[in-house]
Amino acid sequence: MLLANPAGAQITDTDSDYADDEIVVTASLPRGAVVTEIPPVVELSEADIASYGASSVQELLEAISSQTTSSRGRGSGRPIVLINGQRTSGFREIRDLPPEAIRTVQVFPEELALRYGYSADERVVNFILKDQYTGVSVSGEYGIPTAGGQGRSEIETTVTHIGKNDRMNINLEWQNNTAITESERDIIQDAAGDLVNLGDYRTLVAPSDNVELNANYSRSFDNGMSLSLNGGYIYDKSIGLQGLPNGTLDVAGNPMFRYFTEYGPLRRVQETNTAQAGLTLNGSLSDWRWSLTSDYTREQVNTDTDRSGDTSALQAAIDAGTVDPLATSFGSLLGLPTTDTAKVVDQTINNLATMSGTLFVLPSGAVTTTVRAGYNREDLNSRETSSGTFVTTDLARDELSTGISIDIPLANENIDVVEAIGKVSINGNFGYSDLSDFGGLVEFGFGLNWEPFDGLVFSATAIGEEAAPSIAQLGNPIIITPDVTTYDFTNGETVLAAVTTGGNFALPAETRRDIKLAVNYRPEWLDGFTFLGEYFRNNSTDVASSFPLLTPEIEAAFPDRVTRDASGRLVAIDKRPVNYAEVRSERIRYGIDFSKRFGQQRGGSSRPSRQPAAAPAAPPEGDQPPPPEGEQGGRPPEGKTASRSGPRGGGGGGPGAGRPSGGRWQVSAFHTIRLEETIKIRDGVEELDLLDGSAIGSTGGSPRHEFEINGGWFNNGIGFRLDGKHQTATRVNGGLTGSNLRFSDLTTVNLRMFINLDDRGNLTEKVPFLKNSRIALKMDNIFNDIQTVRDDSGLIPLSYQSGYMDPVGRYVEIDFRKRF
């Protein structure tokens, strides 16, 4: 990735000290940079950030998600975020900051997470903020699918202030989405549905309203401590249409299924209220850095689900011959729809304390460690009413945890050894957690990092851990949703089945064993180029999972979860979580990242260095907390060499304090090859091979190959970016009596174009309101590629119509943003 030049680099060339062809560069890294032997996967300068045209940190992370998302296959997928090299209480602290307030972004692999008290299953992103920034921004967005049927509106305002010792950010956002109905996507209904235009009464995308408020405040003190506070509130409401009331009537001994229009559509209303608060304290104790974080979240979800009313009185009238079963209205003979209600309140509090520093110093360098201790609690309370039955659930979990990680350099500062074999370090970690409802869980890991020469780094990591199912998986309320469109592989037909969801108390703890091998190469002879290769092998036993796709082999493995009528027609599925005996996966991911500047003004270097972006002179030592050696930001220890190389040496300052000069282009491409994806449900049941006809999800098995490519170009205030993904075709075997399904390959390409109006001549002088404004146009899935699913006859099953697979399709959005 394109990197700015080092700050304050000094080049010393003395014949008595160095050979003629060798240059030693000693640089002061920007305050807030993470100093580590683990190389970053991506590093963005201020000018690089501007080239993405993002309106917030959240948008920026989405734009570089191929580099920030962990490929290990564990965790939530969202990276761990740091601000100026220090821990935060959560993503909320950084989410809404404007990109203009950020100087540098550093993205590190999963191994660095251990140094901050986290598990090594997420990447780490460090945001280095500018020393001074004040701004107010307002943006408005409106977008529609090109197929019509929906509109998305969003208004957002952000207030940000960053001073010498404090930081404040407040964000308010409102979003509205209108509905997409089945009739707007020409969904084919069954015969009974055609009679009543059922597509008008079923939504593919429910209309929703969302309001979010997020506020953050941070302050640094003269004693080296810093305090961060944040709070937020989210309100979300959606109203989905679930079709019309229905029933099966007995007419002269023959069943007749029909829909009733008297009472309008059945609805599912979901309302979510989420309150959040967090606190972070950072400080130093002698040469050690300590951190305390606390985060509280309360989420309440209310769900009202309509179900068809009683038809017994209507049936009696039909039996008596007083009512025509084909009549359009039955008055009071048809019972009113009833409503099932569910209320779930989930409260979590997470507390973690860490201390990092140097244990002792070896000839090869400092041995550093991070010690952590934490207390977490979750309370899950639910109240559910279904068909007159009232069910309550009260679950709680207390978790006490402790752990330690250690990094030992074997060859680093002992120069003779380094020159012979390169830099070598090892690391290890151990942790223990005690869960009040599950007992003790152990985690451990160890790794090796080897840098044979500058720019080439090999790493190997082995991880073992035990994990308990979430209390939501254990105790979610049982909800039965009628008339869910479902494809029955056994009979090769699409039916409307009742689906049961909720928790499963019988789930055991999961055991995980993972291996990761990686290589990171930044050749000296090709500035701006990075190659990354990774190999992953995951093995898990007793895995808690959502209920898989109902293929014949899944039905054979879980026969008690499926209900069929006398004719063998599928009528109900119990989709509560299940347990797999063993899950194995093996994959390779490799790719490149390449970027260049062009049109650089005189005085600036056209060859970007590999150090973090330039920073202004640091304040006196007494005005900033002392960073721990080898970890937090600030200057490297006295005498440390930040860069040691031959003719590559480079110097000079990066872009000045004004608008970055020149343009830039960037491209990255990655390829993932899945070597193994298998699931063993239990002994005596045939193993599922997701790469060879088995599936656990409605989108088919796992694709053997996946490709990611993104790139952009930016110059004179105009920029565009392309983001593309491709996955190869898969299939699902229907067994000896069932129907096979073939899922086509899928290619999605997204385009974003933007223009900064300040850079377009004298336009803002003629129209002052447009000063500090940007207009952006976004088009997602520009080729409108939607995965096609066909059975053995080449036909598309009703439940796999394109409107079900992707109701939005190609989507176009325009965005206007202004800074004050």
Side-chain angles (χ1 to χ4, degrees), residues 513-782:
R513 298 293 184 266
D514 298 345
I515 292 176
K516 174 189 172 184
L517 306 176
V519 56
N520 188 309
Y521 181 43
R522 297 184 175 189
E524 297 180 356
W525 48 268
L526 189 57
D527 286 311
F529 180 89
T530 300
F531 171 83
L532 177 67
E534 298 174 305
Y535 166 83
F536 300 90
R537 190 182 73 187
N538 296 355
N539 186 79
S540 302
T541 57
D542 292 328
V543 179
S545 172
S546 57
F547 192 81
L549 182 69
L550 187 63
T551 60
E553 54 188 351
I554 292 297
E555 185 171 353
F558 301 102
D560 57 329
R561 295 297 192 95
V562 180
T563 302
R564 296 183 180 274
D565 61 18
S567 66
R569 187 180 182 89
L570 179 66
V571 295
I573 308 174
D574 183 349
K575 288 192 173 184
R576 288 176 294 170
V578 295
N579 177 67
Y580 299 143
E582 186 177 16
V583 177
R584 297 192 304 272
S585 67
E586 190 176 6
R587 61 200 177 279
I588 296 172
R589 183 177 187 263
Y590 66 94
I592 64 165
D593 193 279
F594 194 23
S595 60
K596 284 289 186 180
R597 295 181 182 175
F598 59 87
Q600 189 80 10
Q601 290 182 354
R602 284 190 177 182
S605 171
S606 62
R607 298 184 59 188
S609 81
R610 305 192 182 282
Q611 298 299 325
E621 284 295 323
D623 294 341
Q624 58 176 322
E629 199 171 327
E631 183 171 332
Q632 309 286 351
R635 295 193 299 268
E638 189 67 27
K640 284 277 189 179
T641 299
S643 175
R644 184 170 57 87
S645 66
R648 177 179 129 205
R659 192 172 303 279
S661 62
R664 63 204 66 245
W665 59 262
Q666 177 268 338
V667 63
S668 65
F670 290 89
H671 177 204
T672 299
I673 306 173
R674 288 184 171 87
L675 305 176
E676 181 184 19
E677 292 279 345
T678 59
I679 297 175
K680 178 183 178 181
I681 296 176
R682 63 174 177 268
D683 291 335
V685 177
E686 185 177 356
E687 188 174 71
L688 306 181
D689 188 345
L690 304 186
L691 298 174
D692 191 24
S694 299
I696 58 173
S698 60
T699 56
S702 297
R704 177 77 66 175
H705 299 274
E706 286 185 317
F707 301 89
E708 305 165 81
I709 184 168
N710 65 73
W713 178 91
F714 177 76
N715 193 30
N716 293 328
I718 297 178
F720 73 85
R721 296 200 62 82
L722 280 172
D723 176 21
K725 295 183 179 180
H726 174 82
Q727 66 180 45
T728 53
T730 63
R731 75 178 192 279
V732 178
N733 296 333
L736 296 177
T737 61
S739 175
N740 299 321
L741 290 184
R742 303 185 185 279
F743 292 74
S744 70
D745 57 6
L746 179 64
T747 303
T748 56
V749 179
N750 306 323
L751 171 66
R752 178 179 176 85
M753 299 178 291
F754 62 94
I755 177 172
N756 297 326
L757 300 183
D758 285 342
D759 297 322
R760 305 313 301 165
N762 59 357
L763 176 63
T764 56
E765 296 177 3
K766 297 179 180 179
V767 186
F769 174 77
L770 297 179
K771 184 176 178 61
N772 294 326
S773 297
R774 188 192 66 217
I775 297 175
L777 176 67
K778 181 172 70 174
M779 182 179 295
D780 292 341
N781 196 1
I782 60 179

Side-chain angles (χ1 to χ4, degrees), residues 6 29 46 52 92 109 153 163 165 171 214 243 271 325 356 388 442 463 481 511 544 568 625 737:
L29 296 179
E46 180 182 343
Y52 282 87
R92 295 189 308 275
S153 304
N165 297 313
N171 180 268
N214 187 40
E271 187 175 79
S356 303
V442 174
I463 296 173
T481 304
T511 301
T737 61

